[in-house]
Amino acid sequence: MNEEDTTLPLSLLVSRRVIEETVSRLAAQISDDYREKHLVAVGVLKGAFIFMADLVRQIDVPLEIDFVTVSSYGSGTNSSRTITMHQDITTDVSGKDVLVIEDIVDTGHTLCYLADHLKARGARSVRLCALADKPSRREQDVTIDYLGFTVPDQFVVGYGLDFDNRFRYLPDIYALEAHHDQG
Ligand code: IMP
Ligand code: MG
């Protein structure tokens, strides 16, 4: 970890070994379920880039890869959140089976928006895969078809997850201590 990043107190939450086991388990489940399908994995940038890279290398069925870049604005208690799509997929997903790959589900607004968006683009099926879930903060009902693990109501960083664009490069996942300004 570089020196600047040691100025905020981090506590180890999920080790790289547990992450690796989790990714293997999810990849095995996904491979089983998509054997007769036309899988398109759609990663949600930036947070999912490391998870996605590890996951797809362990999935043993053919797949296409694409990305979206989205951001969400609004207070954590305001259910009228605005999701902005900064970069859409370029793959034609009509008649294909889309799996959205997300780092963490918090309020649920991002995944709800993306599921609707990808169905509107003609996907035959849309399922959701998330490495982490923070169910205590949910505002929108979403079904996570492939879930890594649940985390407590704390802000978490590392393995792609950021705080203010920092900490994404850390190989393990940490809780940022005493941080209340989530979003
Ligand atoms: P949503 O509230 O479910 O729409 O999640 C929006 C986005 O917030 C997620 O895709 C994450 O990128 C980000 N996010 C939510 N909680 C955390 C966290 O604890 N650490 C880092 N990013 C988070
Ligand atoms: Mg994200």
Side-chain angles (χ1 to χ4, degrees):
M1 200 182 303
N2 70 45
E3 211 155 282
E4 186 208 345
D5 285 347
T6 60
T7 57
L8 281 169
L10 302 181
S11 63
L12 183 66
L13 195 64
V14 189
S15 69
R16 66 196 77 184
R17 177 184 292 258
V18 170
I19 295 172
E20 201 181 308
E21 289 166 2
T22 303
V23 170
S24 298
R25 169 174 62 79
L26 293 173
Q29 278 177 265
I30 293 164
S31 301
D32 278 351
D33 291 355
Y34 283 84
R35 243 168 253 295
E36 307 300 323
K37 305 266 169 80
H38 191 143
L39 176 56
V40 183
V42 174
V44 185
L45 295 174
K46 304 174 192 167
F49 82 109
I50 295 178
F51 174 44
M52 172 103 159
D54 283 347
L55 186 71
V56 296
R57 283 180 291 175
Q58 293 204 43
I59 294 176
D60 65 5
V61 298
L63 65 126
E64 293 179 62
I65 290 175
D66 210 334
F67 295 96
V68 291
T69 305
V70 293
S71 59
S72 75
Y73 301 100
S75 85
T77 53
N78 180 1
S79 54
S80 62
R81 276 204 162 207
T82 307
I83 310 292
T84 306
M85 169 88 71
H86 300 284
Q87 187 185 295
D88 202 348
I89 52 167
T90 56
T91 307
D92 176 10
V93 294
S94 56
K96 299 177 186 171
D97 302 293
V98 171
L99 182 61
V100 181
I101 314 290
E102 174 66 300
D103 53 359
I104 186 168
V105 184
D106 187 25
T107 63
H109 288 286
T110 302
L111 279 188
C112 266
Y113 169 89
L114 285 175
D116 289 348
H117 175 76
L118 293 161
K119 280 175 205 154
R121 297 286 297 262
R124 174 168 58 188
S125 67
V126 178
R127 286 188 183 176
L128 309 174
C129 171
L131 180 64
D133 184 21
K134 223 191 285 183
S136 54
R137 302 209 343 130
R138 194 72 90 254
E139 294 173 8
Q140 288 269 319
D141 225 355
V142 288
T143 301
I144 306 172
D145 301 282
Y146 305 94
L147 173 64
F149 38 75
T150 297
V151 296
D153 186 6
Q154 278 177 295
F155 207 79
V156 300
V157 298
Y159 197 70
L161 291 143
D162 74 307
F163 167 63
D164 207 13
N165 239 345
R166 297 166 61 188
F167 306 114
R168 291 193 199 278
Y169 63 94
L170 300 176
D172 308 278
I173 292 178
Y174 296 84
L176 200 56
E177 285 172 1
H179 179 73
H180 301 291
D181 178 30
Q182 299 198 5

